[in-house]
Amino acid sequence: MSPRTPAEPATTRVSRLLTMVPWLVSRQGIALSEAAEGLGVSEQQLRDDLDLLFMCGYGPMTDELIDVSYEQGHVYIDNAETISRPLRLGVAEATTIIVGLRALEASGVGPSDAVRRALATLEQATGSLPGIDRVGVVAEGERDHEVLQSASSAVQQRRRVHLTYLVPSRDERTERDVDPMRVVALDGHWYLEGWCHLAQDTRLFRLDRVEAIELLDVDGTPPPQAVSRDLSQGAYSGAPDDRVVTLLLRPRARWVAEYYPTLSQEEVGEALRVRLTARDDAWLARLVLGCGGHAVLEAPQPAVDAVRARALAALSGYAG
C-alpha cells in the first residue's frame, strides 16, 4: 500500500484543487506522471486530489459531480465546466460582497487579515465599476461599535465578560457574567451568544441593549452543557415549556407571522389565525398591544386575562 499524503491545511488543498482542475481540463489525456510534474506535486498527492474530485460538484446528484478517470495512466476530467473557467461577478454580486466584507471589517468580528486580503483582491478587480468607490459602511454609533469589538475580542480570546444588560420586556437592568460563544448578525442586529451564569443557560444578548461590557481576566470557555441555538428561524425561538397562544392577525399585523416562527397558520377572510409560543405574559402583552388593535389574542384564557389586565392598567393612566 502506498503511503498516504501528510495532512495539510484545508485552505492549501482547496487552492490547489481550484488551480488543478482548469489546468487538467485543458490537457485532457495527459499522463499521470507528467501531470504531477507539471503541477509540482507527487503522483500520490495527485491521486489523492483526483479521488477527492469525485465528490465535488455543484449538486449531490451523479450528473452534477465532476467525473475523473486516470485508470490507464492518463487523466481525463469531465463535467467540470463550473470551475474550469475564472469566476465572473456581475455588478450587483460584486457590490454585495464588497459591502459584506466592509461590514465584517468594520465590526472586527472576522479575521481582519483575511478580510482585508479578500477586499483588496475584489476592489482591484472591480475598481472600474462606476460608483464602487463610494460604497461604504457607517457604524451606527461609537458606543455600539465599541461594544461589538469588545464582544468579538472576548470570543476570540476566550475571556468571560460582565454585562450590564437592559431587558425591555421587564424594563429592568441586570448584571450578569457570560462565557461568550459567538457573535452573530441577525435581522439587522448584532448578538452575543454565550453561557449566562445568572440564568445557568445559553442566552442571546442583543448588543444594542448592552449598556456596559467588561472583559474579565477569567477563562471564558463555556461549560460542556452550553449548546448554540438554532437561529435558522430568527433570533427568537420558543423554549419547549413556553405557552402556546392563538392570535388573530388582521392585515396590518400579518407581519407577526413573518417575523416570528409559528406552529400553524389559517386564513380567516382577510385575517390570519396563527399559533405560536410566547415566552411570558409581559412579552405577549407588548406584542399584542404594540399591534394597536390589529392583533387579537384568542387563547388560552389565562393569557387573554393577563393581557387585558395590562391594557386596562395602561388605560388607567389616561383617566382624564
Side-chain angles (χ1 to χ4, degrees):
M1 180 181 293
S2 301
R4 303 303 295 172
T5 305
E8 64 179 339
T11 53
T12 301
R13 193 172 192 186
V14 170
S15 178
R16 185 174 64 250
L17 289 172
L18 290 174
T19 302
M20 182 182 75
V21 172
W23 192 87
L24 291 174
V25 167
S26 65
R27 296 168 174 80
Q28 295 287 1
I30 187 173
L32 192 66
S33 57
E34 185 181 348
E37 182 179 356
L39 291 167
V41 297
S42 66
E43 285 194 39
Q44 183 59 53
Q45 178 67 74
L46 180 57
R47 289 178 184 273
D48 289 345
D49 288 345
L50 292 174
D51 288 342
L52 180 60
L53 286 179
F54 277 114
M55 298 178 285
C56 298
Y58 60 88
M61 306 304 292
T62 303
D63 60 348
E64 297 171 334
L65 299 174
I66 295 175
D67 185 25
V68 182
S69 173
Y70 61 92
E71 295 300 327
Q72 303 300 320
H74 295 267
V75 182
Y76 297 89
I77 297 183
D78 294 312
N79 204 29
E81 292 79 7
T82 53
I83 59 174
S84 64
R85 56 182 180 272
L87 175 65
R88 300 183 185 279
L89 297 174
V91 174
E93 294 170 321
T95 303
T96 299
I97 295 175
I98 286 176
V99 170
L101 287 171
R102 288 182 180 172
L104 194 61
E105 182 182 39
S107 71
V109 173
S112 56
D113 290 342
V115 172
R116 280 196 290 269
R117 287 197 302 271
L119 257 177
T121 301
L122 193 57
E123 288 172 344
Q124 182 179 5
T126 59
S128 60
L129 293 177
I132 199 69
D133 58 322
R134 296 193 296 273
V135 176
V137 175
V138 179
E140 292 184 358
E142 183 177 350
R143 189 192 68 83
D144 290 344
H145 184 63
E146 290 176 354
V147 170
L148 176 57
Q149 286 194 319
S150 295
S152 302
S153 297
V155 173
Q156 295 166 7
Q157 299 173 25
R158 289 285 188 177
R159 290 174 61 183
R160 183 173 299 173
V161 296
H162 181 77
L163 302 181
T164 303
Y165 190 70
L166 176 65
V167 183
S169 62
R170 299 194 297 272
D171 191 25
E172 67 178 17
R173 289 169 179 80
T174 61
E175 303 281 337
R176 57 186 79 206
D177 288 350
V178 177
D179 293 335
M181 296 163 64
R182 58 175 171 168
V183 172
V184 294
L186 198 63
D187 301 327
H189 299 285
W190 286 101
Y191 293 85
L192 170 66
E193 183 180 43
W195 177 263
C196 176
H197 288 266
L198 180 64
Q200 285 297 296
D201 199 358
T202 302
R203 288 289 186 267
L204 201 63
F205 301 98
R206 218 172 91 173
L207 292 184
D208 60 347
R209 295 175 181 168
V210 173
E211 297 189 340
I213 179 171
E214 178 187 359
L215 274 67
L216 305 177
D217 192 17
V218 178
D219 177 47
T221 302
Q225 63 268 36
V227 178
S228 291
R229 294 170 55 180
D230 179 8
L231 301 178
S232 60
Q233 298 291 328
Y236 171 74
S237 58
D241 56 349
D242 281 351
R243 175 187 296 175
V244 176
V245 300
T246 303
L247 291 172
L248 185 68
L249 306 175
R250 294 178 178 134
R252 290 180 61 180
R254 291 176 73 108
W255 62 268
V256 172
E258 300 174 0
Y259 191 83
Y260 297 103
T262 61
L263 302 176
S264 66
Q265 299 186 13
E266 175 191 1
E267 296 286 346
V268 183
E270 293 185 351
L272 180 67
R273 178 174 286 117
V274 301
R275 294 172 62 250
L276 49 78
T277 56
R279 67 185 69 153
D280 53 44
D281 289 340
W283 177 88
L284 183 60
R286 289 178 61 246
L287 174 64
V288 174
L289 300 181
C291 289
H294 297 281
V296 179
L297 179 60
E298 296 183 329
Q301 192 59 44
V304 174
D305 294 339
V307 172
R308 180 181 292 113
R310 288 177 178 269
L312 291 173
L315 285 173
S316 68
Y318 300 89

